[in-house]
Amino acid sequence: MSSRPVLVVTQADDATADMVIEELNRRSVPVTRLDPGDFPTGLTVTARLGQDGLQGAARTATRVADLDKVRSVYWRRPRPYTAPTGLDEQTTRWCREEARYGLGGILAALPGAHYVNHPWRNRDAEHKPAQLATAATCGFSIPPTLLTNDVDEAKNFTREHGPLIYKPLRNTDYHDADGRALTVWVEEVVPADLTGAVGLTMHLFQKRVASVADLRVTAVGHEVFAVKIDGSPGLDWRRHYDKLSYTLIDPPSHLVKSIRNYLDTFGLVFGAFDFGVDDEGRIWLYECNPNGQFAWFPPPITDRIVTAVADRLHHAGEHHAR
């Protein structure tokens, strides 16, 4: 068996990565797990570049990975780049940016490694406007959507397409006055909600789909796992896990074709797609998370996705790198 390791780039608290690592361990595939957020105090990296390409090593408290021998990279949920404590604001910012472009550039350029997904492809595919624009060209049905900081345009859109929902453009950290983490959920918008605050930043408004069920479709290479989600009493099923039921179904062929086109357009290996199904059976795309989780599904579903991801990482040489 090759000793080339799989590099798992993620934070310590990541149940999805834990399950994939457990499967790779079961196969006796060497794994090195690291978090760029540990750099520079808990992670040491040395890279040499010359005519022979990139060589060097990454050292954590428990592992050493030769950078030129990594077979594949599972890029999951790393923490933001950091700087040592005790520095002034300007120096802290400088150190973080040097880490981002130095360490980040190294980890994105490992020779011969197969990425699931490459971090720069994840970055490109995380922007919802780009997602929706690309999805429209790939044959998906897209709910009418408005992005604006103009309150009058938002009110006009409500009159044209209401009822509407609002969804955040990114899962940015947000805390209350006591420091407790808050989540900005998908919410229905009524005209009274549209105030001058719309002008503070970009907002995404979308026609609400009168859905009778939700679909989470996880694509891993050419394997597609479609899960029908029933039982959500509200707009955002992530708020009601205890009330949901999950059924693995065969995805329609037209949906699989659109998913394949979408992944190819962004250069992705993995994608987690969220859809709503209306009472006429039409499937509407909401978004695609290029790095979505799947550990919360029941084991019969999760195990199949874990196996597919582990296969990509384990048998990296059998796949075309993206």
Side-chain angles (χ1 to χ4, degrees):
M1 184 197 73
S2 171
S3 61
R4 297 178 64 197
V6 173
L7 188 65
V8 178
V9 182
T10 196
Q11 58 193 275
D13 183 15
D14 184 351
T16 293
D18 292 344
M19 299 181 78
V20 173
I21 291 171
E22 183 179 351
E23 173 61 18
L24 292 170
N25 288 337
R26 189 188 66 78
R27 302 180 186 194
S28 299
V29 176
V31 175
T32 298
R33 180 175 186 156
L34 63 81
D35 182 3
D38 290 334
F39 183 84
T41 55
L43 171 63
T44 301
V45 177
T46 301
R48 297 177 181 270
L49 290 147
Q51 293 303 116
D52 295 329
L54 186 152
Q55 297 177 327
R59 294 178 173 83
T60 71
T62 58
R63 294 284 190 275
V64 177
D66 291 330
L67 298 176
D68 58 326
K69 293 182 172 59
V70 172
R71 81 167 76 188
S72 55
V73 179
Y74 188 29
W75 196 279
R76 264 290 300 161
R77 296 286 178 89
R79 291 180 298 134
Y81 293 93
T82 61
T85 59
L87 303 176
D88 62 74
E89 181 180 351
Q90 180 172 258
T91 305
T92 295
R93 183 172 60 252
W94 188 85
C95 288
R96 285 174 176 168
E97 290 302 291
E98 291 297 292
R100 182 192 313 279
Y101 285 92
L103 175 57
I106 292 168
L107 294 177
L110 301 180
H114 178 62
Y115 287 83
V116 182
N117 292 311
H118 193 284
W120 297 348
R121 304 292 81 76
N122 276 345
R123 177 200 61 200
D124 294 345
E126 285 176 344
H127 296 79
K128 286 185 172 64
Q131 291 181 17
L132 295 173
T134 299
T137 68
C138 292
F140 292 107
S141 294
I142 309 298
T145 303
L146 174 71
L147 290 117
T148 190
N149 66 329
D150 187 320
V151 65
D152 292 330
E153 288 293 334
K155 291 177 179 178
N156 290 337
F157 194 70
T158 301
R159 287 190 287 268
E160 293 171 10
H161 296 290
L164 299 184
I165 61 170
Y166 162 81
K167 61 173 62 174
L169 288 158
R170 191 176 187 274
N171 292 326
T172 304
D173 286 343
Y174 205 88
H175 298 84
D176 65 13
D178 297 322
R180 291 174 297 190
L182 301 175
T183 299
V184 181
W185 301 100
V186 175
E187 298 284 2
E188 187 164 350
V189 177
V190 297
D193 295 328
L194 301 174
T195 68
V198 172
L200 295 177
T201 189
M202 186 61 69
H203 290 71
L204 188 154
F205 302 105
Q206 194 170 71
K207 179 179 175 62
R208 179 176 180 176
V209 174
S211 60
V212 296
D214 293 285
L215 292 180
R216 164 60 74 92
V217 182
T218 305
V220 187
H222 290 282
E223 297 187 73
V224 178
F225 306 92
V227 179
K228 183 170 178 281
I229 301 174
D230 293 297
S232 176
L235 275 174
D236 197 327
W237 50 261
R238 297 172 302 168
R239 305 176 72 169
H240 310 285
Y241 284 111
D242 58 331
K243 295 180 172 61
L244 303 177
S245 63
Y246 309 96
T247 307
L248 193 64
I249 64 172
D250 292 326
S253 59
H254 71 86
L255 200 66
V256 174
K257 181 180 179 180
S258 293
I259 287 171
R260 184 71 264 155
N261 289 339
Y262 183 97
L263 294 179
D264 288 344
T265 300
F266 277 112
L268 300 172
V269 175
F270 178 98
F273 296 78
D274 287 322
F275 300 92
V277 184
D278 66 21
D279 56 6
E280 295 180 353
R282 188 172 181 179
I283 301 174
W284 298 86
L285 176 69
Y286 297 148
E287 62 183 277
C288 173
N289 186 339
N291 211 0
Q293 303 185 68
F294 49 81
W296 42 269
F297 282 132
I301 297 173
T302 298
D303 290 348
R304 294 183 63 175
I305 303 174
V306 167
T307 297
V309 174
D311 284 346
R312 296 289 304 200
L313 299 168
H314 182 187
H315 304 295
E318 300 173 15
H319 302 290
H320 295 292
R322 284 180 167 82

